[in-house]
């Protein structure tokens, strides 16, 4: 199924077996891409002795950047695994906070999303207020 075919389906077809299979494949592909990127960044983190201090500083900066990217990708993998779990449990496509459909367009952009736009904005607003109050 293509994105166009997915979007052309009626609202009554929301999260039918075909759509779930589409998103499972999308998430599985995304998982593999991220795992490959993590592996490549791990290679950059290997310790190598450098002949001079400027090379050492440059290598350390590259290593720190690679570590940050690995951390970000690891967080993304956790979100993808949660989405795959939601597919397995029959909850994918529905907001974890509000229970309403997340929407195909949003899921095509952020397939690992478990929240609707409204729920995400509400969480961000609460977090912002908590930071201000702290």
């Amino acid at each position: 199924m293509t994105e166009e075919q997915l979007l052309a389906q009626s609202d009554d077809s929301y999260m039918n077996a075909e759509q779930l299979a589409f998103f499972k494949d999308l998430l599985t592909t995304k998982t593999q891409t991220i795992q490959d990127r993590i592996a490549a960044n791990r290679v950059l983190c290997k310790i190598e002795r450098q002949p001079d201090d400027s090379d050492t500083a440059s290598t350390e900066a590259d290593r720190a950047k690679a570590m940050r990217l690995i951390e970000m990708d690891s967080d993304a993998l956790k979100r993808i695994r949660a989405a795959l779990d939601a597919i397995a449990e029959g909850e994918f496509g529905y907001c974890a906070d509000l229970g309403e459909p997340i929407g195909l367009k949003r899921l095509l952009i952020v397939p690992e999303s478990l929240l609707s736009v409204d729920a995400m904005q509400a969480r961000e607003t609460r977090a912002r207020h908590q930071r201000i109050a702290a």
Side-chain angles (χ1 to χ4, degrees):
M1 174 183 297
T2 66
E3 286 184 21
E4 294 79 21
Q5 292 170 326
L6 180 80
L7 292 170
Q9 292 187 351
S10 70
D11 291 343
D12 295 338
S13 299
Y14 189 70
M15 289 303 120
N16 64 20
E18 281 184 313
Q19 290 180 359
L20 289 172
F22 176 89
F23 285 109
K24 185 176 182 179
D25 288 344
L26 186 63
L27 289 163
T28 302
T29 300
K30 195 169 183 176
T31 297
Q32 187 59 54
T33 300
I34 292 172
Q35 288 173 336
D36 292 345
R37 198 166 52 220
I38 288 172
N41 280 319
R42 282 194 174 133
V43 170
L44 296 175
C45 292
K46 292 193 179 193
I47 297 173
E48 296 178 15
R49 295 206 149 192
Q50 299 298 328
D52 64 39
D53 289 341
S54 65
D55 287 342
T56 300
S58 176
T59 300
E60 285 302 315
D62 290 345
R63 186 176 295 123
K65 180 180 175 183
M67 291 298 292
R68 284 191 306 274
L69 292 171
I70 289 169
E71 186 177 327
M72 289 170 43
D73 281 341
S74 295
D75 290 342
L77 282 177
K78 288 176 190 174
R79 291 189 303 273
I80 291 170
R81 285 188 190 109
L84 288 168
D85 289 346
I87 288 173
E89 295 166 9
E91 298 171 357
F92 182 80
Y94 295 91
C95 179
D97 286 357
L98 306 174
E100 65 187 23
I102 293 172
L104 295 174
K105 289 181 182 179
R106 176 167 169 74
L107 290 171
L108 285 170
I109 295 168
V110 187
E112 63 273 19
S113 181
L114 298 178
L115 298 172
S116 66
V117 172
D118 291 341
M120 181 62 78
Q121 289 173 341
R123 282 190 180 192
E124 289 170 355
T125 300
R126 279 193 303 273
R128 191 170 35 253
H129 287 292
Q130 289 173 347
R131 282 192 304 271
I132 291 170

